[in-house]
């Protein structure tokens, strides 16, 4: 059971647990505009990953993102879960659009 | 036929039998708030597991959770069954969102 | 053609022939309450099994239940058939939820 | 091209040609009640079979019933065809529920 | 590219080109009743065949009928095409119900 | 990347680029009737082909038609694209009904 | 994790990041008509590519387009994303219709 847990919670299979983080954008006039004010927060940080999905012959296909990476979420989908009163979201690895290289 | 029974009942294939357990959360003010009062109980303990699903060539793919583990259920789905007058629920292994490491 | 017949009738492929048997439950007050009075009878005994489904390369995947075992049926599905004026039901092996170990 | 023809007609692939035969049932009072009077005739005799379906790698998967066997048909489905002014029905092998051992 | 052409036209993949031919039936009273007067013409002669469909690994799976054979068409489906002002029909090999052995 | 380009444009995967060409038919009375006047032009010439689709294990399955061949299109489907102000159409190789041998 | 990033953003799996570029067309009268005025911009330049999709046995199937190539997009589909205040679009590799050879 590979994968990485977060607060003792580990996603199963190819699920990825993320925490949405508003993306700060600086408008032309230099005003720092937290993304939340624009629309839905689509950027998030990976906090836990499942062991991966099972291939046809049972072999494990690891997920494509790692804990700590910043990713771009699709506009829809995801399952909200609450850990220690804080909101996190579970997405399938294959639904995550891309990631930001630090 | 691997898998683990509970009260002489054993799920078939990749089904997992769980018992929902309200998750106690302590609010800021220290009030212990059983999860039930919030909304649907999504946490449960695994009480029995099937032998696993059959791969394309007939090989057995064991389930990802074990008896005794605490898991996070999806909001929908599951089949209610009654054993000795008590309610349990059957979920497919692949539908269980994640598990809590003790 | 493996499988086991019943009254000269043998299901084909992964079909399982069952006879529903009301599950007696004893209420708190000790009254024996045949399950039928509660709701649909979901328990049954396997009376015949097909040879199993065919895998991708034609190999046979036997069913998971055996003649004589007591099983838990899903609430919906199944095909009613009559043999010697008595009602039986055909289910696909994969739709049977679980079985009771004697 | 395995399979068995009937009146110079041979079904293709995994199709099975059957002739419906009313199933005589003797009521408690000994009255012979041809099944037709009860409801749709679901019993039939196999008169011709196709060579079988093609597996993924092109190998042939023979059908599970043989010419002359008595089978139980599903309530719905099947294609009516007329040979020498007589009605026959084509079913896919996988849709036939079971067969009666002579 | 196996397959057999007709009037310089060759179907692609597992398609089969047929020409519908009314099936003469002689009624009890000896009146020759061209099938057309009864209902849709479901019998046809194969005039051209494609090379066959491609298996998963790219291997060719030839069609099950040959040029010149008389086949039984399903009631629905097929694509009408016109060659030299004459109507022909394209069917997928797998949709043809059966064939008549000469 | 096999395939054949046309005006510097190359279709991707199993797509085929065609140019519709009205099919001249001579009526009984000898009047040359360009097909357009009859109905939709279903004949076309292949002007470019993609490299082919990818099999399950990544191997390339070339398309079945070649540049310069005359093909018969299905009545529906296809994507119109404009190259140098002229209309062409993209079809999936598997949707092309057949081809005319020169 | 092959693939090529753009502004520190890398698409996942078989996704391709493109920037739409209006295609200049010169009308008969020599008027340069930016494509935008005609209809939706369907031409774009690839700015980043994912590592490719995973085959059945987990092997990587690289995408068919490369950074810098000019491609033809389908009329519908694609996910708009904003990087440094500029609009880009994510498409699946298999949905891109074709590409222009420089």
């Amino acid at each position: 059971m590979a994968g990485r847990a977060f607060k003792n919670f580990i996603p199963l299979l190819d699920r990825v647990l993320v925490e949405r983080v508003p993306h700060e954008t600086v408008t032309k006039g230099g005003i720092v505009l937290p993304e939340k004010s624009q629309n839905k927060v689509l950027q998030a940080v990976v906090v836990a990953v499942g062991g991966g999905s099972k291939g046809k012959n049972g072999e494990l296909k690891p997920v494509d993102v790692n804990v700590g990476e910043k990713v771009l979420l699709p506009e829809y989908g995801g399952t909200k879960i609450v850990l220690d009163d804080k909101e996190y979201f579970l997405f399938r690895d294959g639904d995550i659009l891309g990631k930001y290289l630090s």
Side-chain angles (χ1 to χ4, degrees), chain A:
Chain A
M1 228 334 282
R4 287 270 307 275
F6 172 74
K7 296 187 178 180
N8 279 337
F9 174 79
I10 188 162
L12 283 176
L13 295 175
D14 62 341
R15 292 182 180 89
V16 173
L17 188 67
V18 301
E19 181 182 355
R20 290 184 194 265
V21 291
H23 168 58
E24 284 191 18
T25 50
V26 181
T27 64
K28 296 284 171 314
I31 302 159
V32 171
L33 199 68
E35 178 170 352
K36 236 182 190 170
S37 67
Q38 301 162 332
N39 47 37
K40 202 172 170 184
V41 172
L42 297 183
Q43 299 205 345
V45 172
V46 175
V47 295
V49 293
S53 58
K54 283 180 207 164
K56 208 176 46 51
N57 302 322
E59 81 287 2
L60 214 56
K61 293 200 236 179
V63 299
D64 272 303
V65 294
N66 307 294
V67 169
E69 285 180 332
K70 202 160 130 184
V71 294
L72 180 66
L73 302 175
E75 191 145 8
Y76 304 104
T79 306
K80 188 178 80 174
I81 73 168
V82 176
L83 291 174
D84 300 349
D85 291 349
K86 220 173 149 191
E87 264 186 19
Y88 298 91
F89 291 83
L90 274 176
F91 280 87
R92 295 278 182 171
D93 175 46
D95 293 338
I96 295 180
L97 301 180
K99 59 184 177 182
Y100 300 86
L101 307 181
S102 48

